[in-house]
Amino acid sequence: MQRRQDFLAANAGRRAPMPGFVLLVRDRADGDPTKRVGFTVTKKIGNAVVRNRMKRRLRMLARDLLPTGGVAGADHVLIGRDGGIERDYALLRVELDKALRKIASPDYRAPPPRPPRKPGRKPSGR
């Protein structure tokens, strides 16, 4: 996935927060069984080197687990969290497996919705 529109649409899907990342899964309902995946790591996590390292870890996790545990015909988005870069890869792998199983289960209950963000300050015009 590369288009912003796809990432925003995935945000409306199922969410499985884990300590090292957040997994979003949204069924495309277009009849195509392809599993698509996208990755995002914000600047809050660190500089470009740290963000790219986190994305590489997320790519490897997806390559290992999504072919067997992913939802067919759905978009999967992995959002890197601050603690994910220091976490052991094996632990991240266990967490992704747990998140995929949680989302695929029929009795999945979504976490409560987040409250809306407060509007930011307006620029001072200096």
Side-chain angles (χ1 to χ4, degrees):
M1 293 177 22
Q2 294 182 349
R3 295 178 12 197
R4 177 175 165 76
Q5 180 181 2
D6 295 334
F7 282 87
L8 293 176
N11 199 29
R14 294 177 164 201
R15 175 182 300 266
M18 293 289 153
F21 58 87
V22 176
L23 174 66
L24 307 175
V25 177
R26 179 181 155 270
D27 186 16
R28 290 189 312 273
D30 61 0
D32 184 10
T34 305
K35 300 172 190 172
R36 296 192 316 175
V37 64
F39 309 95
T40 183
V41 182
T42 66
K43 287 185 178 181
K44 289 186 217 177
I45 304 303
N47 63 16
V49 173
V50 172
R51 291 192 313 267
N52 287 331
R53 184 172 171 222
M54 185 66 198
K55 281 191 271 188
R56 282 194 305 270
R57 296 183 95 194
L58 293 175
R59 274 190 215 108
M60 286 304 297
L61 286 169
R63 190 175 295 140
D64 287 347
L65 297 175
L66 280 184
T68 56
V71 179
D75 290 340
H76 302 75
V77 176
L78 286 164
I79 303 171
R81 282 185 145 174
D82 197 17
I85 200 69
E86 293 91 18
R87 294 182 82 75
D88 185 45
Y89 181 79
L91 186 57
L92 285 174
R93 186 180 162 97
V94 168
E95 290 172 357
L96 180 57
D97 186 45
K98 179 180 174 183
L100 288 168
R101 280 186 282 117
K102 181 178 7 176
I103 283 187
S105 73
D107 58 337
Y108 171 79
R109 284 187 16 181
R114 293 188 203 158
R117 290 185 176 184
K118 295 180 182 175
R121 286 185 34 199
K122 293 183 180 180
S124 61
R126 291 186 205 184

